[in-house]
Amino acid sequence: MEQASYVPLASIRILDFTRYQQGPYATVMLGDMGAEVIKVEDRERGDLGRRLWREPDGFSAFFEALNRGKRSITLDVRKPEGREVALRLVGRCDVVVENFRPGVMDRLGLGYEHARKVNPRVIFASASGFGPRGPRGRWPSFDQVAQAASGWMHALGGPEGEPRLGLPGMMDQIGAMILAWGITTALLARERTGVGQSVDASLLGTAIALQAVDVTHSLRTGRVNYPRRRTTPIVGHFQCADGRWLMVGAVDPKMWLNLCQALDRPDLPTDPRFKNGYVRETNHLELEAELEQAFLTHDRDTWIRLLREADVPVGPANTYVDLREDEDAHANEYVVRRDDSRWGDLEVVGCPVRLSATPARVGDDAPELGADTDAVLRELGFSEAEVAKLRADAVI
């Protein structure tokens, strides 16, 4: 795909103190939009994410996916000299992003009040667990805690079951998108007003927002709508003759007749048990059994063709590996191939947003630990002798 020479955040520099998942993916998204991301890591061990999901050859899908395209510097910010280096970086950056436990950056002398003194226009973004206010505001948290506190796990468990964890990392990933949205909104506000500000995007807030419709309903009625195996008898997944699965999305009731046409079941619309939406819902187990048997008569590709010809929304129920062959995922660059200097030919997740005039660009390799320390310090004006002393004093 031909890309424009300009990317939307090309002039933005981000100082990234984040670890694990939510914060790092937020800065990946901003990096894909052209921002320069300088990742600050512990001088000895680096981001713990470097060691998660590590394979025998050293490849970590966790770290590669969450840190591509960044520059890495090592810095001991607990030492006064390291704090001074960090503040000099803050003075040169548009955005600072962190996801330490609440209060840690303040204790290090690197919180928002410290940052704004050296850079009044800075956007200081925090990825928190429970939000900046309230009794749990300073509690540490992780993705799974937010899934539980938001009602998500209880909903998945159902009325008679114990709470059930959803996909691990889901709230982290969505929280990253919310955090990136908050940062870009604050940058736009700064362009209009000249004023910097702090931004907070919490895992709890993300998880509640993800469930906005169900939460609103429950707060109004006092009842919980627990998910069941299929949303409705005609909105759900079905197994086909070849053992593969598809998803039917006949949300609009008028699609019921189209579905029956595609299935070659003209008897179903006239069956008293299924003649309208109300009785179909009342008799959903009987209807689902009829549809399950029907879908077992052809393979998945045949059913997808027939359903599309009948204008019924349908798609394959893919595994992650199936995405290798998904034409839409590749055509829209949701999955892209890139040549990595260490790992060779890689398929990676691309940017989910498409801009026609200033498209995103998937970042290059994830950095080796501290690979850019010297270069970044030189850009700040440190001499070779000063860099050598910082290294001798175990600051970098």
Side-chain angles (χ1 to χ4, degrees):
M1 181 183 71
E2 184 177 347
Q3 294 186 332
S5 59
Y6 178 80
V7 280
L9 301 181
S11 61
I12 299 300
R13 179 179 290 161
I14 297 172
L15 189 60
D16 181 0
F17 287 98
T18 65
R19 300 100 27 87
Y20 301 111
Q21 191 164 355
Q22 181 190 7
Y25 191 63
T27 51
V28 160
M29 295 183 70
L30 299 171
D32 283 355
M33 289 296 179
E36 176 190 357
V37 181
I38 301 172
K39 183 178 179 69
V40 181
E41 299 189 67
D42 179 84
R43 59 177 296 275
E44 294 181 352
R45 303 182 66 192
D47 183 347
L48 176 65
R50 290 183 177 274
R51 298 182 292 282
L52 297 178
W53 294 38
R54 180 176 284 181
E55 298 174 18
D57 64 356
F59 180 79
S60 165
F62 189 95
F63 189 79
E64 294 292 325
L66 302 176
N67 292 281
R68 66 177 184 228
K70 301 179 183 180
R71 306 173 77 189
S72 170
I73 67 169
T74 57
L75 188 63
D76 189 344
V77 296
R78 295 164 297 185
K79 295 183 176 181
E81 302 91 338
R83 176 181 176 275
E84 290 305 313
V85 172
L87 287 174
R88 283 178 67 171
L89 277 165
V90 170
R92 299 283 190 90
C93 290
D94 299 278
V95 181
V96 175
V97 190
E98 61 91 14
N99 65 341
F100 287 101
R101 289 189 182 197
V104 168
M105 291 291 278
D106 292 324
R107 292 196 296 272
L108 291 170
L110 295 170
Y112 177 51
E113 293 304 321
H114 303 92
R116 69 191 298 194
K117 288 179 181 178
V118 298
N119 185 353
R121 286 171 52 85
V122 73
I123 306 301
F124 193 96
S126 300
S128 66
F130 295 97
R133 303 172 183 173
R136 291 177 288 183
R138 288 187 172 267
W139 288 17
S141 185
F142 286 97
D143 170 273
Q144 294 88 340
V145 177
Q147 291 196 33
S150 68
W152 178 256
M153 286 182 63
H154 194 277
L156 291 183
E160 305 301 329
E162 67 179 70
R164 184 163 63 89
L165 185 67
L167 182 69
M170 175 183 291
M171 301 311 170
D172 276 325
Q173 289 295 109
I174 301 170
M177 298 174 189
I178 297 296
L179 182 60
W181 169 58
I183 291 169
T184 51
T185 301
L187 285 170
L188 176 60
R190 190 184 71 176
E191 290 302 305
R192 303 284 175 84
T193 66
V195 177
Q197 61 183 303
S198 64
V199 174
D200 182 274
S202 74
L203 291 172
L204 177 61
T206 291
I208 292 174
L210 177 65
Q211 305 167 83
V213 173
D214 293 283
V215 169
T216 301
H217 174 268
S218 291
L219 293 176
R220 177 70 172 82
T221 65
R223 300 191 305 273
V224 177
N225 282 337
Y226 291 100
R228 63 192 197 202
R229 186 165 180 247
R230 296 186 177 97
T231 306
T232 75
I234 57 177
V235 179
H237 56 289
F238 294 92
Q239 191 173 29
C240 304
D242 55 0
R244 296 191 295 173
W245 296 77
L246 54 71
M247 172 61 72
V248 176
V251 176
D252 192 323
K254 69 183 181 183
M255 296 174 181
W256 165 238
L257 296 178
N258 296 16
L259 177 61
C260 294
Q261 172 192 334
L263 294 174
D264 194 22
R265 288 295 305 272
D267 58 304
L268 292 179
T270 58
D271 190 313
R273 298 172 298 168
F274 313 137
K275 64 181 181 180
N276 60 48
Y278 177 80
V279 295
R280 286 197 295 273
E281 183 64 22
T282 302
N283 300 300
H284 71 92
L285 292 178
E286 293 94 327
L287 178 53
E288 288 179 39
E290 295 281 355
L291 299 182
E292 286 169 0
Q293 289 301 312
F295 277 107
L296 289 174
T297 60
H298 293 303
D299 62 51
R300 187 175 71 179
D301 290 344
T302 298
W303 279 125
I304 288 178
R305 176 178 59 79
L306 291 172
L307 289 166
R308 286 305 307 130
E309 289 173 354
D311 199 29
V312 176
V314 63
N318 285 330
T319 67
Y320 297 146
V321 176
D322 291 336
L323 294 176
R324 286 177 173 172
E325 310 300 328
D326 190 290
E327 294 180 1
D328 295 280
H330 285 274
N332 292 287
E333 299 186 336
Y334 303 143
V335 174
V336 298
R337 286 188 177 276
R338 56 175 301 275
D339 185 39
D340 189 282
S341 62
R342 285 168 295 167
W343 311 114
D345 184 35
L346 282 182
E347 287 182 290
V348 300
V349 175
C351 180
V353 178
R354 294 187 61 80
L355 281 68
S356 63
T358 57
R361 296 174 179 171
V362 174
D364 294 328
D365 310 1
E368 295 283 7
L369 179 62
D372 305 288
T373 303
D374 287 16
V376 169
L377 292 181
R378 285 195 295 269
E379 292 165 11
L380 282 175
F382 284 85
S383 67
E384 295 296 335
E386 288 174 314
V387 172
K389 187 175 187 308
L390 288 170
R391 182 165 284 109
D393 292 341
V395 176
I396 59 174

